[in-house]
Every structure is written in C-alpha cells, then in structure tokens.
Amino acid sequence: MTPDELRDYAATLILEHARDVEYLSIHEMAEQHLDAGEISDEDAKTVADLIGKSDITVDFPGGAA
C-alpha cells in the first residue's frame, strides 16, 4: 500500500470506531472526569446523542504514515 492508502485506511478505521462508545462506558468514565463522580441517566443519554452527532477529524503529524 502507498503511504496515502495507509493514511486513508487508518483514518477510515478511526472514524468507523470513534463513535462506538458503549453506554456503560459513559457512566464509568464520568467517575473519573466529573466532580460529582457520577452522571444521571438523562445526562448519559444526552452524551450518547452528542457522540453520535459529532464531527471527527483525523490528522496525521507531518502527513506521513
């Protein structure tokens, strides 16, 4: 594969999996990232919706594979 093909393939894999966050992970990660230590089900659903609507960009430093 050419360097461009490798970058394109890597970007495709990243983008395909970037929004694949399990609902349970949203609750588990909240314990580490929120001052309250937990997240309500309503807020977790909102976070899941936001993940699904997100725009994700893949950039490789220096443009090299």
Side-chain angles (χ1 to χ4, degrees):
M1 295 175 78
T2 68
D4 284 340
E5 290 171 327
L6 291 169
R7 280 191 298 277
D8 287 344
Y9 181 52
T12 296
L13 290 173
I14 292 167
L15 292 171
E16 289 292 320
H17 291 44
R19 289 185 191 92
D20 188 20
V21 177
E22 291 184 23
Y23 186 72
L24 182 60
S25 294
I26 295 171
H27 282 277
E28 291 173 347
M29 294 293 291
E31 295 173 4
Q32 300 171 18
H33 293 280
L34 301 177
D35 292 334
E38 59 184 49
I39 189 170
S40 69
D41 284 335
E42 183 179 338
D43 286 344
K45 288 176 185 173
T46 300
V47 169
D49 289 341
L50 288 168
I51 290 169
K53 295 175 184 175
S54 65
D55 289 324
I56 301 167
T57 303
V58 177
D59 186 31
F60 298 100

